[in-house]
Amino acid sequence: MRFFTADLHLGHANIIGFCDRPFASVEAMDTALLAGWTDAVGDDDEIWVLGDLAMGRIAESLPPVASLPGRKHLVPGNHDRCWPGNRRVRPQDVQVYVDVGFEIHPGSLEFQLEEYSVVASHFPIAGDSQVEDRFVDHRPDVPAGGWLLHGHVHEKWKANGRQINVGVDVWGFRPVSETMLLGLMRREASG
């Protein structure tokens, strides 16, 4: 089974207030996010993180991810220290993600999810967690009739047309399964 998630922001205390997350501290948030991952994802599953895995000191916030289940993939977002658009990317930072078990897929990725053509990216085609769209040069191209799985918008929407936000803020602070996404796509497509 494949699972998708985004915008965990491990180690980022300010995200609690920015997104009105129901946690008393960054430690409580990180514990809940890691527990949600562990409850949802099995050792033989794939987990695709569509950006913004951790903020703060990655040497502190990333190591707990190493013991989490699943084959880990990361499509980096603007806050990831391995994102090609991040001017502060250093080889040793990229290696930290690899060391905790991630295969890194810069940019966007196209695949089939049963009958649907899907693009996975951190960024939506349009929309942002802020008032104006940022990182417009990094927005993905989605073929006509295709779907986009993304993060970046936090709590702004779960589905916006053929854009589906897989961020933790709209999925109960846990990864979402491909089965749940297919159900949402089928409902949206029919109606």
Side-chain angles (χ1 to χ4, degrees):
M1 173 79 68
R2 280 184 286 196
F3 289 84
F4 298 86
T5 193
D7 299 312
L8 286 82
H9 283 248
L10 296 171
H12 185 202
N14 289 338
I15 200 69
I16 296 169
F18 293 157
C19 295
D20 198 26
R21 290 184 176 181
F23 304 108
S25 67
V26 70
E27 294 80 12
M29 177 184 73
D30 288 357
T31 298
L33 291 169
L34 298 176
W37 178 320
T38 300
D39 289 345
V41 179
D43 290 333
D44 294 330
D45 293 328
E46 285 186 9
I47 175 80
W48 289 81
V49 178
L50 303 186
D52 291 359
L53 173 63
M55 283 197 58
R57 297 181 181 181
I58 62 172
E60 295 169 9
S61 55
L62 281 182
V65 176
S67 63
L68 295 176
R71 293 183 307 279
K72 302 173 189 82
H73 299 270
L74 176 65
V75 176
N78 54 293
H79 289 296
D80 293 308
R81 302 270 173 79
C82 59
W83 180 54
N86 187 331
R87 293 184 309 261
R88 298 180 295 162
V89 169
R90 301 174 307 171
Q92 63 266 35
D93 291 340
V94 174
Q95 189 60 43
V96 174
Y97 291 87
V98 173
D99 289 346
V100 298
F102 279 97
E103 183 176 328
I104 301 171
H105 307 270
S108 59
L109 185 71
E110 290 186 45
F111 60 96
Q112 282 294 124
L113 196 56
E114 293 203 12
E115 69 267 33
Y116 298 111
S117 174
V118 175
V119 173
S121 170
H122 176 63
F123 301 104
I125 298 165
D128 206 291
S129 61
Q130 307 208 359
V131 175
E132 293 187 25
D133 286 2
R134 300 168 295 153
F135 311 107
V136 293
D137 293 344
H138 299 280
R139 302 298 175 120
D141 291 320
V142 179
W147 288 82
L148 175 65
L149 302 180
H150 66 87
H152 191 65
V153 297
H154 292 275
E155 76 286 0
K156 301 297 183 213
W157 69 71
K158 185 179 275 188
N160 183 2
R162 289 182 169 260
Q163 300 183 107
I164 299 176
N165 174 14
V166 298
V168 297
D169 295 290
V170 295
W171 291 99
F173 303 101
R174 57 189 299 130
V176 57
S177 70
E178 64 184 317
T179 303
M180 292 180 75
L181 292 171
L182 281 164
L184 180 57
M185 288 175 182
R186 289 174 180 141
R187 283 191 303 278
E188 292 287 322
S190 68

